[in-house]
Amino acid sequence: MIGLLINGREREEMIYLLKREMDEILFDLGDERIEHLVKRSMEERYNILLALFKRVAPPKECFKYIQLKRKKV
């Protein structure tokens, strides 16, 4: 297990970066031109990012991305 010690400002920056990356993946998953194999790896990456996001973000924000994932994936 690895610990991470960050302050509030760094936490907010991490939340922002994770949200931006997850939004981009969700947008790309809706693109029909992307092959299924590539989409599968994008879904795996999304799951990893979501797990990180759940550790730093408030539960209210997490629910939004869990619900978006169910709609898009």
Side-chain angles (χ1 to χ4, degrees):
M1 180 180 287
I2 297 176
L4 178 66
L5 191 60
I6 57 175
N7 63 31
R9 188 171 186 184
E10 292 167 336
R11 178 178 171 260
E12 292 301 318
E13 182 68 22
M14 185 178 281
I15 289 171
Y16 170 76
L17 291 171
L18 289 168
K19 285 169 70 171
R20 194 172 76 179
E21 186 67 24
M22 290 189 300
D23 286 337
E24 188 175 321
I25 291 172
L26 287 172
F27 178 77
D28 288 343
L29 285 174
D31 191 348
E32 297 171 1
R33 299 173 292 175
I34 298 175
E35 295 181 26
H36 179 70
L37 185 63
V38 175
K39 284 187 179 183
R40 181 192 274 168
S41 72
M42 290 168 61
E43 290 171 2
E44 289 175 14
R45 179 174 171 85
Y46 184 87
N47 288 333
I48 292 168
L49 293 173
L50 183 60
L52 287 170
F53 186 70
K54 287 192 274 187
R55 292 174 186 245
V56 294
K60 199 172 197 177
E61 287 188 48
C62 295
F63 291 135
K64 295 175 189 176
Y65 284 93
I66 292 170
Q67 291 172 352
L68 285 174
K69 177 186 165 194
R70 288 183 186 155
K71 288 180 184 177
K72 297 276 184 176
V73 177

